[in-house]
Amino acid sequence: MAPQYAPSLRSRLAPLLLFLQLGFIAIYAFYIEIESNVKIDGITFSNFFSEFQDVNVMVILGFGFLCTFLVRCGFSGSGFNLLVAAMATQWALILNGIESWYSRGKFRIDLRSLVVAEMCAASALISIGAVLGKTNPVHLILIALLEVSGFVLNAWLLQTLHVRLLNSIMLLHIFGAFFGLTLTWILYRRGSEQQFEKEKFDRKTGLFSMLGTVFLWMFWPSFNSVLVDDRTPGRKLGAVCSTYLALAVSAVTAAAVSGLSSPKGKLNPIHMQSCMLAGGVAVGVSMSVVHQPWEAMTIGFTAAVVSTIGFRYLKIHMLLAFQCHDTCTVLSTHGLPGLVGWLAHLLLQIKDCDDHTTAIRFAVFHICTLLITITLSLSMGIITGLLLKWNFWRPPQDKKCFDDQAFWEFPHQAVRK
């Protein structure tokens, strides 16, 4: 039987990328200018550039290496991560600047707007983790554009309800996770109950993936604190310390729960790679109300327990019960810890309220915030999934899933005797 080759994307990918990139260049040429003020809102270039670089490392290196755990999908995991991040950041800069364009006639960008745009791109990278290996790069670009559009719309809706920028942006974990789950539910492939032929990992790819975890773990304090208001004395320092403590506790807890849940009492490397980051996710969502070290540590502990147990038992149940084949288990890595952080935010804010009326009002408002985020995430996920089901985009065959050779050109390896 003749070998089956993956369908060529020459007539799909290159025109799409060139069309989008030339369109972005035209928009940037006529409507975007770099903010020339030396100091904006008390932030100078010298004291903000290092934080921007930290976020940049997380988005490009952290998420990129984290997705290299599959044996034959490492190039796609890291390479497509960079491609999607580059496209999504450019698109997010345009969407976030619409309000400035409406009032001033120009989009004005600075380091802060670049950081916000990269955070919007991070939400798309989370979603892509759910369908990693089962889609082609055309799919990924479309996912990034639509997901970033939905996330920016969600942030705008929340800010019209007087939700602070930090709180609305940090919901990226919840938004990205549920968007990705909806995608993988709609794009479900029959027979996914049995593991795909090439859906495997080994020691070498696991080591590269652990490197991504190390990058994320090291730079996550900057990710959570970069948008914290520095005009309040000690607030940014508190955010950094709280994030570090939550990450430290979640790393230790994830190791303990992984060993307890294993029949042989061994550590699962996938647990260590993903669940040790749960504390950073959870404390980021609740950052604005975390004031004491023990609060951050408790949040990190709870998030790690929920994430590790979810990783061990929830993935297979989601596959069998809801037909959601979640490649990177974004629900356990980002979704569940994000919900833990949201719940911690609610409880800590109620604890600080002076009277019951204020507490009830905040609880209703906070629940509405979550419902808006999840509803918009699911809606945009459904729209995107239905668009991607169109065979015009030439999805890979089942036998070509999780295989770099479907999209990358490798030199011929001759057999030497």
Side-chain angles (χ1 to χ4, degrees):
M1 180 182 293
Q4 293 184 352
Y5 296 98
S8 173
L9 298 177
R10 182 197 298 268
S11 61
R12 304 294 191 273
L13 180 61
L16 176 64
L17 293 179
L18 291 175
F19 171 77
L20 290 173
Q21 192 57 75
L22 292 175
F24 290 162
I25 291 174
I27 294 174
Y28 277 64
F30 292 103
Y31 297 106
I32 290 186
E33 62 183 12
I34 297 176
E35 185 63 67
S36 59
N37 292 339
V38 178
K39 189 173 183 179
I40 304 173
D41 297 332
I43 300 173
T44 61
F45 176 85
S46 59
N47 63 16
F48 198 77
F49 180 72
S50 60
E51 294 178 311
F52 161 73
Q53 282 289 67
D54 291 349
V55 175
N56 208 24
V57 168
M58 279 191 63
V59 172
I60 304 302
L61 288 180
F63 282 105
F65 279 116
L66 190 64
C67 294
T68 60
F69 64 95
L70 295 166
V71 173
R72 302 188 63 176
C73 201
F75 278 90
S76 299
S78 58
F80 292 156
N81 179 85
L82 177 57
L83 176 64
V84 169
M87 275 294 183
T89 302
Q90 295 178 72
W91 181 232
L93 277 171
I94 295 173
L95 295 178
N96 288 327
I98 289 179
E99 186 176 354
S100 174
W101 170 78
Y102 183 76
S103 59
R104 304 178 182 179
K106 286 280 188 179
F107 298 94
R108 294 190 177 182
I109 62 175
D110 53 22
L111 280 181
R112 187 180 181 86
S113 60
L114 279 175
V115 166
V116 173
E118 285 206 313
M119 287 182 162
C120 295
S123 68
L125 299 179
I126 292 171
S127 303
I128 286 172
V131 294
L132 179 67
K134 300 171 291 184
T135 50
N136 61 39
V138 177
H139 288 145
L140 300 182
I141 295 297
L142 295 175
I143 290 171
L145 296 177
L146 292 170
E147 203 275 349
V148 168
S149 301
F151 181 70
V152 172
L153 175 60
N154 182 72
W156 179 81
L157 287 174
L158 296 182
Q159 289 176 56
T160 58
L161 298 175
H162 304 291
V163 177
R164 285 184 289 182
L165 176 65
L166 174 64
N167 294 337
S168 61
I169 291 295
M170 283 304 169
L171 289 173
L172 66 92
H173 303 284
I174 297 175
F175 191 96
F178 282 93
F179 185 96
L181 285 176
T182 308
L183 274 182
T184 193
W185 171 61
I186 294 179
L187 299 178
Y188 178 78
R189 293 169 180 260
R190 291 185 178 180
S192 297
E193 295 84 359
Q194 302 296 326
Q195 190 177 36
F196 284 91
E197 178 185 356
K198 300 168 185 176
E199 189 185 1
K200 303 174 183 177
F201 71 96
D202 61 9
R203 294 177 60 184
K204 183 183 296 185
T205 57
L207 182 61
F208 275 103
S209 183
M210 181 61 76
L211 183 61
T213 300
V214 171
F215 277 118
L216 290 171
W217 200 94
M218 289 174 59
F219 293 105
W220 210 294
S222 294
F223 189 84
N224 281 351
S225 64
V226 66
L227 296 180
V228 173
D229 186 5
D230 202 19
R231 289 172 290 186
T232 303
R235 193 70 192 100
K236 188 177 286 288
L237 175 61
V240 171
C241 293
S242 296
T243 303
Y244 182 86
L245 290 173
L247 285 168
V249 171
S250 66
V252 175
T253 306
V257 177
S258 177
L260 288 173
S261 61
S262 172
K264 297 182 179 180
K266 295 184 178 181
L267 301 180
N268 187 313
I270 301 297
H271 291 175
M272 297 301 296
Q273 290 165 12
S274 299
C275 301
M276 67 188 303
L277 302 172
V281 174
V283 82
V285 177
S286 57
M287 179 58 62
S288 59
V289 295
V290 175
H291 303 296
Q292 300 295 330
W294 69 267
E295 295 173 346
M297 297 173 77
T298 303
I299 292 172
F301 178 86
T302 307
V305 171
V306 172
S307 177
T308 310
I309 294 177
F311 211 111
R312 171 69 73 177
Y313 302 107
L314 196 57
K315 181 177 181 178
I316 185 63
H317 293 312
M318 290 291 293
L319 178 60
L320 297 177
F322 302 103
Q323 295 186 334
C324 289
H325 182 270
D326 186 359
T327 302
C328 294
T329 321
V330 297
L331 177 62
S332 299
T333 307
H334 297 274
L336 295 180
L339 292 175
V340 169
W342 174 87
L343 181 61
H345 187 286
L346 174 63
L347 297 177
L348 291 175
Q349 187 67 46
I350 291 177
K351 180 177 72 73
D352 295 336
C353 290
D354 297 329
D355 58 90
H356 296 293
T357 303
T358 304
I360 293 174
R361 287 179 178 177
F362 175 80
V364 172
F365 177 78
H366 199 56
I367 292 172
C368 290
T369 299
L370 179 66
L371 291 178
I372 291 172
T373 300
I374 292 180
T375 300
L376 191 55
S377 174
L378 296 178
S379 301
M380 291 299 298
I382 291 173
I383 294 172
T384 306
L386 293 177
L387 175 64
L388 298 185
K389 283 182 72 69
W390 191 18
N391 287 329
F392 174 79
W393 308 118
R394 296 185 176 177
Q397 304 99 328
D398 290 349
K399 292 185 178 180
K400 293 299 178 181
C401 287
F402 306 100
D403 193 346
D404 285 331
Q405 288 186 337
F407 311 111
W408 298 84
E409 182 178 342
F410 296 100
H412 178 68
Q413 297 178 349
V415 177
R416 296 180 180 180
K417 296 183 179 180

